[in-house]
PDB file of all heavy atoms in Angstrom:
ATOM      1  N   PRO Q   1     -30.963 -25.836 -35.820  1.00  0.00           N
ATOM      2  CA  PRO Q   1     -32.153 -26.570 -36.286  1.00  0.00           C
ATOM      3  C   PRO Q   1     -33.462 -26.045 -35.705  1.00  0.00           C
ATOM      4  O   PRO Q   1     -34.528 -26.427 -36.166  1.00  0.00           O
ATOM      5  CB  PRO Q   1     -31.893 -28.011 -35.795  1.00  0.00           C
ATOM      6  CG  PRO Q   1     -30.435 -28.077 -35.524  1.00  0.00           C
ATOM      7  CD  PRO Q   1     -30.036 -26.710 -35.080  1.00  0.00           C
ATOM      8  N   SER Q   2     -33.382 -25.189 -34.697  1.00  0.00           N
ATOM      9  CA  SER Q   2     -34.588 -24.639 -34.079  1.00  0.00           C
ATOM     10  C   SER Q   2     -34.365 -23.182 -33.709  1.00  0.00           C
ATOM     11  O   SER Q   2     -33.254 -22.784 -33.355  1.00  0.00           O
ATOM     12  CB  SER Q   2     -34.946 -25.439 -32.812  1.00  0.00           C
ATOM     13  OG  SER Q   2     -36.024 -24.833 -32.112  1.00  0.00           O
ATOM     14  N   LEU Q   3     -35.417 -22.392 -33.816  1.00  0.00           N
ATOM     15  CA  LEU Q   3     -35.422 -21.061 -33.213  1.00  0.00           C
ATOM     16  C   LEU Q   3     -35.707 -21.233 -31.727  1.00  0.00           C
ATOM     17  O   LEU Q   3     -36.153 -22.282 -31.280  1.00  0.00           O
ATOM     18  CB  LEU Q   3     -36.494 -20.191 -33.861  1.00  0.00           C
ATOM     19  CG  LEU Q   3     -36.375 -19.961 -35.373  1.00  0.00           C
ATOM     20  CD1 LEU Q   3     -37.583 -19.182 -35.889  1.00  0.00           C
ATOM     21  CD2 LEU Q   3     -35.084 -19.249 -35.734  1.00  0.00           C
ATOM     22  N   HIS Q   4     -35.466 -20.172 -30.931  1.00  0.00           N
ATOM     23  CA  HIS Q   4     -35.804 -20.260 -29.516  1.00  0.00           C
ATOM     24  C   HIS Q   4     -36.845 -19.207 -29.159  1.00  0.00           C
ATOM     25  O   HIS Q   4     -37.300 -18.436 -30.017  1.00  0.00           O
ATOM     26  CB  HIS Q   4     -34.556 -20.183 -28.625  1.00  0.00           C
ATOM     27  CG  HIS Q   4     -33.755 -18.914 -28.778  1.00  0.00           C
ATOM     28  ND1 HIS Q   4     -34.200 -17.681 -28.365  1.00  0.00           N
ATOM     29  CD2 HIS Q   4     -32.523 -18.707 -29.289  1.00  0.00           C
ATOM     30  CE1 HIS Q   4     -33.287 -16.769 -28.592  1.00  0.00           C
ATOM     31  NE2 HIS Q   4     -32.259 -17.361 -29.171  1.00  0.00           N
ATOM     32  N   VAL Q   5     -37.224 -19.179 -27.899  1.00  0.00           N
ATOM     33  CA  VAL Q   5     -38.324 -18.319 -27.461  1.00  0.00           C
ATOM     34  C   VAL Q   5     -38.051 -16.840 -27.748  1.00  0.00           C
ATOM     35  O   VAL Q   5     -38.987 -16.057 -27.897  1.00  0.00           O
ATOM     36  CB  VAL Q   5     -38.615 -18.559 -25.957  1.00  0.00           C
ATOM     37  CG1 VAL Q   5     -39.464 -17.459 -25.359  1.00  0.00           C
ATOM     38  CG2 VAL Q   5     -39.325 -19.896 -25.774  1.00  0.00           C
ATOM     39  N   GLY Q   6     -36.785 -16.474 -27.867  1.00  0.00           N
ATOM     40  CA  GLY Q   6     -36.460 -15.098 -28.218  1.00  0.00           C
ATOM     41  C   GLY Q   6     -37.002 -14.670 -29.571  1.00  0.00           C
ATOM     42  O   GLY Q   6     -37.109 -13.474 -29.853  1.00  0.00           O
ATOM     43  N   SER Q   7     -37.356 -15.638 -30.423  1.00  0.00           N
ATOM     44  CA  SER Q   7     -37.949 -15.330 -31.739  1.00  0.00           C
ATOM     45  C   SER Q   7     -39.470 -15.322 -31.714  1.00  0.00           C
ATOM     46  O   SER Q   7     -40.105 -15.044 -32.737  1.00  0.00           O
ATOM     47  CB  SER Q   7     -37.478 -16.365 -32.785  1.00  0.00           C
ATOM     48  OG  SER Q   7     -36.093 -16.332 -32.955  1.00  0.00           O
ATOM     49  N   MET Q   8     -40.060 -15.619 -30.564  1.00  0.00           N
ATOM     50  CA  MET Q   8     -41.510 -15.778 -30.509  1.00  0.00           C
ATOM     51  C   MET Q   8     -42.274 -14.497 -30.823  1.00  0.00           C
ATOM     52  O   MET Q   8     -43.346 -14.551 -31.425  1.00  0.00           O
ATOM     53  CB  MET Q   8     -41.936 -16.310 -29.134  1.00  0.00           C
ATOM     54  CG  MET Q   8     -41.929 -17.828 -29.023  1.00  0.00           C
ATOM     55  SD  MET Q   8     -43.058 -18.608 -30.191  1.00  0.00           S
ATOM     56  CE  MET Q   8     -44.603 -17.840 -29.722  1.00  0.00           C
ATOM     57  N   VAL Q   9     -41.761 -13.357 -30.408  1.00  0.00           N
ATOM     58  CA  VAL Q   9     -42.461 -12.101 -30.714  1.00  0.00           C
ATOM     59  C   VAL Q   9     -42.574 -11.919 -32.214  1.00  0.00           C
ATOM     60  O   VAL Q   9     -43.625 -11.534 -32.742  1.00  0.00           O
ATOM     61  CB  VAL Q   9     -41.744 -10.893 -30.073  1.00  0.00           C
ATOM     62  CG1 VAL Q   9     -42.340  -9.587 -30.586  1.00  0.00           C
ATOM     63  CG2 VAL Q   9     -41.876 -10.937 -28.562  1.00  0.00           C
ATOM     64  N   GLN Q  10     -41.497 -12.229 -32.936  1.00  0.00           N
ATOM     65  CA  GLN Q  10     -41.513 -12.053 -34.388  1.00  0.00           C
ATOM     66  C   GLN Q  10     -42.465 -13.058 -35.045  1.00  0.00           C
ATOM     67  O   GLN Q  10     -43.188 -12.717 -35.994  1.00  0.00           O
ATOM     68  CB  GLN Q  10     -40.095 -12.228 -34.950  1.00  0.00           C
ATOM     69  CG  GLN Q  10     -39.010 -11.467 -34.212  1.00  0.00           C
ATOM     70  CD  GLN Q  10     -39.343 -10.015 -33.948  1.00  0.00           C
ATOM     71  OE1 GLN Q  10     -39.989  -9.359 -34.763  1.00  0.00           O
ATOM     72  NE2 GLN Q  10     -38.926  -9.498 -32.813  1.00  0.00           N
ATOM     73  N   ILE Q  11     -42.463 -14.287 -34.551  1.00  0.00           N
ATOM     74  CA  ILE Q  11     -43.383 -15.292 -35.089  1.00  0.00           C
ATOM     75  C   ILE Q  11     -44.831 -14.874 -34.850  1.00  0.00           C
ATOM     76  O   ILE Q  11     -45.686 -14.978 -35.741  1.00  0.00           O
ATOM     77  CB  ILE Q  11     -43.096 -16.674 -34.459  1.00  0.00           C
ATOM     78  CG1 ILE Q  11     -41.705 -17.163 -34.872  1.00  0.00           C
ATOM     79  CG2 ILE Q  11     -44.156 -17.696 -34.880  1.00  0.00           C
ATOM     80  CD1 ILE Q  11     -41.254 -18.419 -34.157  1.00  0.00           C
ATOM     81  N   MET Q  12     -45.113 -14.380 -33.658  1.00  0.00           N
ATOM     82  CA  MET Q  12     -46.479 -13.944 -33.344  1.00  0.00           C
ATOM     83  C   MET Q  12     -46.869 -12.712 -34.156  1.00  0.00           C
ATOM     84  O   MET Q  12     -48.046 -12.532 -34.493  1.00  0.00           O
ATOM     85  CB  MET Q  12     -46.616 -13.662 -31.849  1.00  0.00           C
ATOM     86  CG  MET Q  12     -46.542 -14.898 -30.958  1.00  0.00           C
ATOM     87  SD  MET Q  12     -47.812 -16.145 -31.307  1.00  0.00           S
ATOM     88  CE  MET Q  12     -49.310 -15.270 -30.800  1.00  0.00           C
ATOM     89  N   MET Q  13     -45.905 -11.862 -34.497  1.00  0.00           N
ATOM     90  CA  MET Q  13     -46.203 -10.707 -35.360  1.00  0.00           C
ATOM     91  C   MET Q  13     -46.696 -11.176 -36.720  1.00  0.00           C
ATOM     92  O   MET Q  13     -47.654 -10.618 -37.278  1.00  0.00           O
ATOM     93  CB  MET Q  13     -44.949  -9.855 -35.528  1.00  0.00           C
ATOM     94  CG  MET Q  13     -44.597  -9.036 -34.311  1.00  0.00           C
ATOM     95  SD  MET Q  13     -45.254  -7.372 -34.416  1.00  0.00           S
ATOM     96  CE  MET Q  13     -44.060  -6.625 -35.493  1.00  0.00           C
ATOM     97  N   LEU Q  14     -46.049 -12.195 -37.271  1.00  0.00           N
ATOM     98  CA  LEU Q  14     -46.501 -12.746 -38.551  1.00  0.00           C
ATOM     99  C   LEU Q  14     -47.884 -13.369 -38.409  1.00  0.00           C
ATOM    100  O   LEU Q  14     -48.725 -13.267 -39.315  1.00  0.00           O
ATOM    101  CB  LEU Q  14     -45.498 -13.776 -39.063  1.00  0.00           C
ATOM    102  CG  LEU Q  14     -44.145 -13.228 -39.521  1.00  0.00           C
ATOM    103  CD1 LEU Q  14     -43.173 -14.361 -39.836  1.00  0.00           C
ATOM    104  CD2 LEU Q  14     -44.300 -12.312 -40.740  1.00  0.00           C
ATOM    105  N   ARG Q  15     -48.136 -14.000 -37.275  1.00  0.00           N
ATOM    106  CA  ARG Q  15     -49.460 -14.582 -37.017  1.00  0.00           C
ATOM    107  C   ARG Q  15     -50.514 -13.481 -36.953  1.00  0.00           C
ATOM    108  O   ARG Q  15     -51.604 -13.617 -37.520  1.00  0.00           O
ATOM    109  CB  ARG Q  15     -49.426 -15.378 -35.709  1.00  0.00           C
ATOM    110  CG  ARG Q  15     -50.743 -16.073 -35.360  1.00  0.00           C
ATOM    111  CD  ARG Q  15     -50.566 -16.922 -34.100  1.00  0.00           C
ATOM    112  NE  ARG Q  15     -51.810 -17.524 -33.651  1.00  0.00           N
ATOM    113  CZ  ARG Q  15     -52.306 -18.665 -34.099  1.00  0.00           C
ATOM    114  NH1 ARG Q  15     -51.667 -19.331 -35.038  1.00  0.00           N
ATOM    115  NH2 ARG Q  15     -53.435 -19.148 -33.618  1.00  0.00           N
ATOM    116  N   ARG Q  16     -50.215 -12.384 -36.261  1.00  0.00           N
ATOM    117  CA  ARG Q  16     -51.157 -11.258 -36.180  1.00  0.00           C
ATOM    118  C   ARG Q  16     -51.407 -10.662 -37.570  1.00  0.00           C
ATOM    119  O   ARG Q  16     -52.532 -10.254 -37.891  1.00  0.00           O
ATOM    120  CB  ARG Q  16     -50.626 -10.163 -35.252  1.00  0.00           C
ATOM    121  CG  ARG Q  16     -50.311 -10.601 -33.833  1.00  0.00           C
ATOM    122  CD  ARG Q  16     -51.517 -11.094 -33.089  1.00  0.00           C
ATOM    123  NE  ARG Q  16     -51.154 -11.472 -31.730  1.00  0.00           N
ATOM    124  CZ  ARG Q  16     -51.688 -12.482 -31.064  1.00  0.00           C
ATOM    125  NH1 ARG Q  16     -52.616 -13.245 -31.624  1.00  0.00           N
ATOM    126  NH2 ARG Q  16     -51.306 -12.749 -29.819  1.00  0.00           N
ATOM    127  N   LEU Q  17     -50.359 -10.594 -38.367  1.00  0.00           N
ATOM    128  CA  LEU Q  17     -50.487 -10.072 -39.737  1.00  0.00           C
ATOM    129  C   LEU Q  17     -51.497 -10.903 -40.514  1.00  0.00           C
ATOM    130  O   LEU Q  17     -52.399 -10.362 -41.180  1.00  0.00           O
ATOM    131  CB  LEU Q  17     -49.121 -10.098 -40.418  1.00  0.00           C
ATOM    132  CG  LEU Q  17     -49.015  -9.467 -41.806  1.00  0.00           C
ATOM    133  CD1 LEU Q  17     -49.057  -7.954 -41.719  1.00  0.00           C
ATOM    134  CD2 LEU Q  17     -47.722  -9.907 -42.500  1.00  0.00           C
ATOM    135  N   GLN Q  18     -51.384 -12.221 -40.420  1.00  0.00           N
ATOM    136  CA  GLN Q  18     -52.304 -13.104 -41.137  1.00  0.00           C
ATOM    137  C   GLN Q  18     -53.710 -13.043 -40.534  1.00  0.00           C
ATOM    138  O   GLN Q  18     -54.710 -13.030 -41.266  1.00  0.00           O
ATOM    139  CB  GLN Q  18     -51.787 -14.536 -41.121  1.00  0.00           C
ATOM    140  CG  GLN Q  18     -52.590 -15.475 -42.020  1.00  0.00           C
ATOM    141  CD  GLN Q  18     -51.890 -16.806 -42.227  1.00  0.00           C
ATOM    142  OE1 GLN Q  18     -51.490 -17.470 -41.269  1.00  0.00           O
ATOM    143  NE2 GLN Q  18     -51.723 -17.208 -43.484  1.00  0.00           N
ATOM    144  N   GLN Q  19     -53.821 -12.980 -39.230  1.00  0.00           N
ATOM    145  CA  GLN Q  19     -55.128 -12.888 -38.580  1.00  0.00           C
ATOM    146  C   GLN Q  19     -55.879 -11.622 -38.991  1.00  0.00           C
ATOM    147  O   GLN Q  19     -57.109 -11.612 -39.029  1.00  0.00           O
ATOM    148  CB  GLN Q  19     -54.964 -12.926 -37.058  1.00  0.00           C
ATOM    149  CG  GLN Q  19     -54.565 -14.290 -36.511  1.00  0.00           C
ATOM    150  CD  GLN Q  19     -54.238 -14.248 -35.022  1.00  0.00           C
ATOM    151  OE1 GLN Q  19     -53.856 -13.203 -34.488  1.00  0.00           O
ATOM    152  NE2 GLN Q  19     -54.381 -15.376 -34.344  1.00  0.00           N
ATOM    153  N   ALA Q  20     -55.134 -10.566 -39.321  1.00  0.00           N
ATOM    154  CA  ALA Q  20     -55.745  -9.299 -39.729  1.00  0.00           C
ATOM    155  C   ALA Q  20     -56.034  -9.257 -41.231  1.00  0.00           C
ATOM    156  O   ALA Q  20     -56.435  -8.209 -41.760  1.00  0.00           O
ATOM    157  CB  ALA Q  20     -54.845  -8.128 -39.337  1.00  0.00           C
ATOM    158  N   GLY Q  21     -55.829 -10.375 -41.926  1.00  0.00           N
ATOM    159  CA  GLY Q  21     -56.180 -10.440 -43.344  1.00  0.00           C
ATOM    160  C   GLY Q  21     -55.061 -10.068 -44.298  1.00  0.00           C
ATOM    161  O   GLY Q  21     -55.321  -9.733 -45.462  1.00  0.00           O
ATOM    162  N   HIS Q  22     -53.822 -10.153 -43.849  1.00  0.00           N
ATOM    163  CA  HIS Q  22     -52.681  -9.813 -44.699  1.00  0.00           C
ATOM    164  C   HIS Q  22     -51.806 -11.039 -44.939  1.00  0.00           C
ATOM    165  O   HIS Q  22     -52.087 -12.117 -44.428  1.00  0.00           O
ATOM    166  CB  HIS Q  22     -51.897  -8.659 -44.075  1.00  0.00           C
ATOM    167  CG  HIS Q  22     -52.734  -7.434 -43.856  1.00  0.00           C
ATOM    168  ND1 HIS Q  22     -53.103  -6.594 -44.883  1.00  0.00           N
ATOM    169  CD2 HIS Q  22     -53.318  -6.942 -42.725  1.00  0.00           C
ATOM    170  CE1 HIS Q  22     -53.863  -5.618 -44.401  1.00  0.00           C
ATOM    171  NE2 HIS Q  22     -54.012  -5.809 -43.094  1.00  0.00           N
ATOM    172  N   LYS Q  23     -50.754 -10.862 -45.724  1.00  0.00           N
ATOM    173  CA  LYS Q  23     -49.949 -12.003 -46.175  1.00  0.00           C
ATOM    174  C   LYS Q  23     -48.579 -12.039 -45.489  1.00  0.00           C
ATOM    175  O   LYS Q  23     -47.741 -11.162 -45.722  1.00  0.00           O
ATOM    176  CB  LYS Q  23     -49.745 -11.942 -47.691  1.00  0.00           C
ATOM    177  CG  LYS Q  23     -49.061 -13.181 -48.279  1.00  0.00           C
ATOM    178  CD  LYS Q  23     -48.954 -13.085 -49.779  1.00  0.00           C
ATOM    179  CE  LYS Q  23     -48.395 -14.373 -50.386  1.00  0.00           C
ATOM    180  NZ  LYS Q  23     -49.345 -15.507 -50.238  1.00  0.00           N
ATOM    181  N   PRO Q  24     -48.317 -13.066 -44.663  1.00  0.00           N
ATOM    182  CA  PRO Q  24     -47.011 -13.178 -44.025  1.00  0.00           C
ATOM    183  C   PRO Q  24     -45.990 -13.869 -44.934  1.00  0.00           C
ATOM    184  O   PRO Q  24     -46.289 -14.885 -45.564  1.00  0.00           O
ATOM    185  CB  PRO Q  24     -47.283 -14.026 -42.779  1.00  0.00           C
ATOM    186  CG  PRO Q  24     -48.631 -14.624 -42.949  1.00  0.00           C
ATOM    187  CD  PRO Q  24     -49.258 -14.087 -44.182  1.00  0.00           C
ATOM    188  N   ILE Q  25     -44.807 -13.295 -44.985  1.00  0.00           N
ATOM    189  CA  ILE Q  25     -43.688 -13.891 -45.713  1.00  0.00           C
ATOM    190  C   ILE Q  25     -42.597 -14.218 -44.696  1.00  0.00           C
ATOM    191  O   ILE Q  25     -42.072 -13.318 -44.024  1.00  0.00           O
ATOM    192  CB  ILE Q  25     -43.137 -12.935 -46.785  1.00  0.00           C
ATOM    193  CG1 ILE Q  25     -44.218 -12.581 -47.808  1.00  0.00           C
ATOM    194  CG2 ILE Q  25     -41.926 -13.547 -47.485  1.00  0.00           C
ATOM    195  CD1 ILE Q  25     -43.807 -11.477 -48.786  1.00  0.00           C
ATOM    196  N   VAL Q  26     -42.291 -15.495 -44.559  1.00  0.00           N
ATOM    197  CA  VAL Q  26     -41.203 -15.926 -43.683  1.00  0.00           C
ATOM    198  C   VAL Q  26     -39.940 -15.976 -44.537  1.00  0.00           C
ATOM    199  O   VAL Q  26     -39.811 -16.821 -45.421  1.00  0.00           O
ATOM    200  CB  VAL Q  26     -41.485 -17.317 -43.074  1.00  0.00           C
ATOM    201  CG1 VAL Q  26     -40.349 -17.713 -42.129  1.00  0.00           C
ATOM    202  CG2 VAL Q  26     -42.826 -17.336 -42.355  1.00  0.00           C
ATOM    203  N   LEU Q  27     -39.032 -15.059 -44.295  1.00  0.00           N
ATOM    204  CA  LEU Q  27     -37.798 -15.031 -45.077  1.00  0.00           C
ATOM    205  C   LEU Q  27     -36.704 -15.779 -44.318  1.00  0.00           C
ATOM    206  O   LEU Q  27     -36.251 -15.333 -43.261  1.00  0.00           O
ATOM    207  CB  LEU Q  27     -37.349 -13.594 -45.343  1.00  0.00           C
ATOM    208  CG  LEU Q  27     -36.034 -13.484 -46.135  1.00  0.00           C
ATOM    209  CD1 LEU Q  27     -36.213 -14.012 -47.550  1.00  0.00           C
ATOM    210  CD2 LEU Q  27     -35.527 -12.050 -46.154  1.00  0.00           C
ATOM    211  N   MET Q  28     -36.312 -16.910 -44.846  1.00  0.00           N
ATOM    212  CA  MET Q  28     -35.215 -17.664 -44.253  1.00  0.00           C
ATOM    213  C   MET Q  28     -33.891 -17.211 -44.869  1.00  0.00           C
ATOM    214  O   MET Q  28     -33.781 -17.089 -46.097  1.00  0.00           O
ATOM    215  CB  MET Q  28     -35.407 -19.161 -44.464  1.00  0.00           C
ATOM    216  CG  MET Q  28     -36.613 -19.742 -43.739  1.00  0.00           C
ATOM    217  SD  MET Q  28     -36.672 -19.357 -41.960  1.00  0.00           S
ATOM    218  CE  MET Q  28     -35.088 -20.004 -41.402  1.00  0.00           C
ATOM    219  N   GLY Q  29     -32.929 -16.963 -44.008  1.00  0.00           N
ATOM    220  CA  GLY Q  29     -31.652 -16.424 -44.473  1.00  0.00           C
ATOM    221  C   GLY Q  29     -30.678 -17.488 -44.924  1.00  0.00           C
ATOM    222  O   GLY Q  29     -29.573 -17.597 -44.371  1.00  0.00           O
ATOM    223  N   GLY Q  30     -31.068 -18.264 -45.932  1.00  0.00           N
ATOM    224  CA  GLY Q  30     -30.144 -19.256 -46.461  1.00  0.00           C
ATOM    225  C   GLY Q  30     -28.889 -18.623 -47.025  1.00  0.00           C
ATOM    226  O   GLY Q  30     -27.806 -19.218 -46.988  1.00  0.00           O
ATOM    227  N   GLY Q  31     -29.034 -17.391 -47.543  1.00  0.00           N
ATOM    228  CA  GLY Q  31     -27.881 -16.665 -48.073  1.00  0.00           C
ATOM    229  C   GLY Q  31     -27.146 -15.895 -46.987  1.00  0.00           C
ATOM    230  O   GLY Q  31     -25.921 -16.001 -46.856  1.00  0.00           O
ATOM    231  N   THR Q  32     -27.878 -15.118 -46.181  1.00  0.00           N
ATOM    232  CA  THR Q  32     -27.233 -14.296 -45.156  1.00  0.00           C
ATOM    233  C   THR Q  32     -26.642 -15.122 -44.017  1.00  0.00           C
ATOM    234  O   THR Q  32     -25.714 -14.675 -43.343  1.00  0.00           O
ATOM    235  CB  THR Q  32     -28.224 -13.260 -44.589  1.00  0.00           C
ATOM    236  OG1 THR Q  32     -29.505 -13.872 -44.387  1.00  0.00           O
ATOM    237  CG2 THR Q  32     -28.374 -12.085 -45.528  1.00  0.00           C
ATOM    238  N   THR Q  33     -27.167 -16.330 -43.786  1.00  0.00           N
ATOM    239  CA  THR Q  33     -26.575 -17.191 -42.758  1.00  0.00           C
ATOM    240  C   THR Q  33     -25.141 -17.556 -43.139  1.00  0.00           C
ATOM    241  O   THR Q  33     -24.310 -17.828 -42.269  1.00  0.00           O
ATOM    242  CB  THR Q  33     -27.416 -18.469 -42.565  1.00  0.00           C
ATOM    243  OG1 THR Q  33     -28.740 -18.094 -42.143  1.00  0.00           O
ATOM    244  CG2 THR Q  33     -26.829 -19.378 -41.506  1.00  0.00           C
ATOM    245  N   LYS Q  34     -24.851 -17.565 -44.432  1.00  0.00           N
ATOM    246  CA  LYS Q  34     -23.480 -17.848 -44.883  1.00  0.00           C
ATOM    247  C   LYS Q  34     -22.534 -16.697 -44.559  1.00  0.00           C
ATOM    248  O   LYS Q  34     -21.312 -16.850 -44.616  1.00  0.00           O
ATOM    249  CB  LYS Q  34     -23.473 -18.108 -46.389  1.00  0.00           C
ATOM    250  CG  LYS Q  34     -24.280 -19.332 -46.805  1.00  0.00           C
ATOM    251  CD  LYS Q  34     -24.400 -19.428 -48.315  1.00  0.00           C
ATOM    252  CE  LYS Q  34     -25.319 -20.586 -48.719  1.00  0.00           C
ATOM    253  NZ  LYS Q  34     -25.550 -20.647 -50.168  1.00  0.00           N
ATOM    254  N   VAL Q  35     -23.135 -15.530 -44.217  1.00  0.00           N
ATOM    255  CA  VAL Q  35     -22.343 -14.350 -43.887  1.00  0.00           C
ATOM    256  C   VAL Q  35     -22.269 -14.171 -42.369  1.00  0.00           C
ATOM    257  O   VAL Q  35     -21.200 -14.022 -41.794  1.00  0.00           O
ATOM    258  CB  VAL Q  35     -22.952 -13.092 -44.544  1.00  0.00           C
ATOM    259  CG1 VAL Q  35     -22.212 -11.835 -44.108  1.00  0.00           C
ATOM    260  CG2 VAL Q  35     -22.921 -13.240 -46.057  1.00  0.00           C
ATOM    261  N   GLY Q  36     -23.433 -14.170 -41.720  1.00  0.00           N
ATOM    262  CA  GLY Q  36     -23.480 -14.016 -40.268  1.00  0.00           C
ATOM    263  C   GLY Q  36     -23.828 -12.602 -39.862  1.00  0.00           C
ATOM    264  O   GLY Q  36     -23.137 -11.650 -40.212  1.00  0.00           O
ATOM    265  N   ASP Q  37     -24.933 -12.451 -39.131  1.00  0.00           N
ATOM    266  CA  ASP Q  37     -25.381 -11.152 -38.640  1.00  0.00           C
ATOM    267  C   ASP Q  37     -24.519 -10.746 -37.443  1.00  0.00           C
ATOM    268  O   ASP Q  37     -24.497 -11.438 -36.425  1.00  0.00           O
ATOM    269  CB  ASP Q  37     -26.848 -11.245 -38.214  1.00  0.00           C
ATOM    270  CG  ASP Q  37     -27.414  -9.910 -37.755  1.00  0.00           C
ATOM    271  OD1 ASP Q  37     -26.676  -8.907 -37.776  1.00  0.00           O
ATOM    272  OD2 ASP Q  37     -28.598  -9.879 -37.372  1.00  0.00           O
ATOM    273  N   PRO Q  38     -23.810  -9.610 -37.527  1.00  0.00           N
ATOM    274  CA  PRO Q  38     -22.974  -9.184 -36.400  1.00  0.00           C
ATOM    275  C   PRO Q  38     -23.755  -8.534 -35.268  1.00  0.00           C
ATOM    276  O   PRO Q  38     -23.185  -8.247 -34.216  1.00  0.00           O
ATOM    277  CB  PRO Q  38     -22.014  -8.174 -37.046  1.00  0.00           C
ATOM    278  CG  PRO Q  38     -22.805  -7.589 -38.175  1.00  0.00           C
ATOM    279  CD  PRO Q  38     -23.682  -8.713 -38.688  1.00  0.00           C
ATOM    280  N   SER Q  39     -25.061  -8.292 -35.446  1.00  0.00           N
ATOM    281  CA  SER Q  39     -25.860  -7.594 -34.436  1.00  0.00           C
ATOM    282  C   SER Q  39     -25.832  -8.349 -33.115  1.00  0.00           C
ATOM    283  O   SER Q  39     -26.166  -9.532 -33.052  1.00  0.00           O
ATOM    284  CB  SER Q  39     -27.321  -7.455 -34.908  1.00  0.00           C
ATOM    285  OG  SER Q  39     -27.396  -6.711 -36.090  1.00  0.00           O
ATOM    286  N   GLY Q  40     -25.435  -7.655 -32.053  1.00  0.00           N
ATOM    287  CA  GLY Q  40     -25.439  -8.241 -30.724  1.00  0.00           C
ATOM    288  C   GLY Q  40     -24.400  -9.319 -30.509  1.00  0.00           C
ATOM    289  O   GLY Q  40     -24.454 -10.048 -29.513  1.00  0.00           O
ATOM    290  N   LYS Q  41     -23.430  -9.447 -31.401  1.00  0.00           N
ATOM    291  CA  LYS Q  41     -22.423 -10.496 -31.281  1.00  0.00           C
ATOM    292  C   LYS Q  41     -21.056  -9.885 -30.979  1.00  0.00           C
ATOM    293  O   LYS Q  41     -20.678  -8.853 -31.532  1.00  0.00           O
ATOM    294  CB  LYS Q  41     -22.328 -11.324 -32.575  1.00  0.00           C
ATOM    295  CG  LYS Q  41     -23.647 -11.991 -32.977  1.00  0.00           C
ATOM    296  CD  LYS Q  41     -24.104 -12.992 -31.948  1.00  0.00           C
ATOM    297  CE  LYS Q  41     -25.465 -13.576 -32.310  1.00  0.00           C
ATOM    298  NZ  LYS Q  41     -26.028 -14.395 -31.240  1.00  0.00           N
ATOM    299  N   ASP Q  42     -20.314 -10.540 -30.074  1.00  0.00           N
ATOM    300  CA  ASP Q  42     -18.977 -10.087 -29.732  1.00  0.00           C
ATOM    301  C   ASP Q  42     -17.910 -10.723 -30.613  1.00  0.00           C
ATOM    302  O   ASP Q  42     -16.766 -10.305 -30.625  1.00  0.00           O
ATOM    303  CB  ASP Q  42     -18.659 -10.427 -28.269  1.00  0.00           C
ATOM    304  CG  ASP Q  42     -19.491  -9.588 -27.304  1.00  0.00           C
ATOM    305  OD1 ASP Q  42     -19.954  -8.515 -27.719  1.00  0.00           O
ATOM    306  OD2 ASP Q  42     -19.662 -10.017 -26.149  1.00  0.00           O
ATOM    307  N   GLU Q  43     -18.294 -11.763 -31.340  1.00  0.00           N
ATOM    308  CA  GLU Q  43     -17.326 -12.453 -32.181  1.00  0.00           C
ATOM    309  C   GLU Q  43     -18.024 -13.039 -33.397  1.00  0.00           C
ATOM    310  O   GLU Q  43     -19.254 -13.113 -33.448  1.00  0.00           O
ATOM    311  CB  GLU Q  43     -16.634 -13.568 -31.395  1.00  0.00           C
ATOM    312  CG  GLU Q  43     -17.594 -14.588 -30.822  1.00  0.00           C
ATOM    313  CD  GLU Q  43     -16.897 -15.604 -29.927  1.00  0.00           C
ATOM    314  OE1 GLU Q  43     -15.834 -15.306 -29.384  1.00  0.00           O
ATOM    315  OE2 GLU Q  43     -17.465 -16.711 -29.781  1.00  0.00           O
ATOM    316  N   SER Q  44     -17.231 -13.439 -34.368  1.00  0.00           N
ATOM    317  CA  SER Q  44     -17.789 -13.979 -35.605  1.00  0.00           C
ATOM    318  C   SER Q  44     -18.467 -15.327 -35.349  1.00  0.00           C
ATOM    319  O   SER Q  44     -18.023 -16.117 -34.517  1.00  0.00           O
ATOM    320  CB  SER Q  44     -16.671 -14.170 -36.640  1.00  0.00           C
ATOM    321  OG  SER Q  44     -16.036 -12.948 -36.921  1.00  0.00           O
ATOM    322  N   ARG Q  45     -19.559 -15.577 -36.072  1.00  0.00           N
ATOM    323  CA  ARG Q  45     -20.235 -16.869 -35.969  1.00  0.00           C
ATOM    324  C   ARG Q  45     -19.492 -17.919 -36.784  1.00  0.00           C
ATOM    325  O   ARG Q  45     -18.821 -17.611 -37.762  1.00  0.00           O
ATOM    326  CB  ARG Q  45     -21.666 -16.761 -36.500  1.00  0.00           C
ATOM    327  CG  ARG Q  45     -22.547 -15.801 -35.737  1.00  0.00           C
ATOM    328  CD  ARG Q  45     -23.979 -15.945 -36.187  1.00  0.00           C
ATOM    329  NE  ARG Q  45     -24.835 -14.909 -35.625  1.00  0.00           N
ATOM    330  CZ  ARG Q  45     -26.155 -14.989 -35.565  1.00  0.00           C
ATOM    331  NH1 ARG Q  45     -26.758 -16.047 -36.033  1.00  0.00           N
ATOM    332  NH2 ARG Q  45     -26.874 -14.017 -35.059  1.00  0.00           N
TER     333      ARG Q  45
END
């Protein structure tokens, strides 16, 4: 239900993008969450 501080750099990148006059797109993985990102994981989610 919440992201943690480890996602803050990415959130701030989107903020910087908007501050510089560009358009941020927050892509929520409603589809890919059903699969599970194996990056950095020792076991299936």
Side-chain angles (χ1 to χ4, degrees):
S2 173
L3 301 175
H4 60 69
V5 164
S7 298
M8 272 299 302
V9 171
Q10 313 312 325
I11 295 172
M12 291 301 293
M13 286 265 281
L14 291 173
R15 182 176 175 85
R16 303 297 181 216
L17 186 74
Q18 188 168 52
Q19 288 173 335
H22 302 284
K23 187 177 185 68
I25 300 172
V26 182
L27 179 66
M28 294 307 304
T32 42
T33 299
K34 297 172 185 175
V35 175
D37 183 1
S39 299
K41 302 297 176 189
D42 291 338
E43 58 186 24
S44 300
R45 298 190 188 198

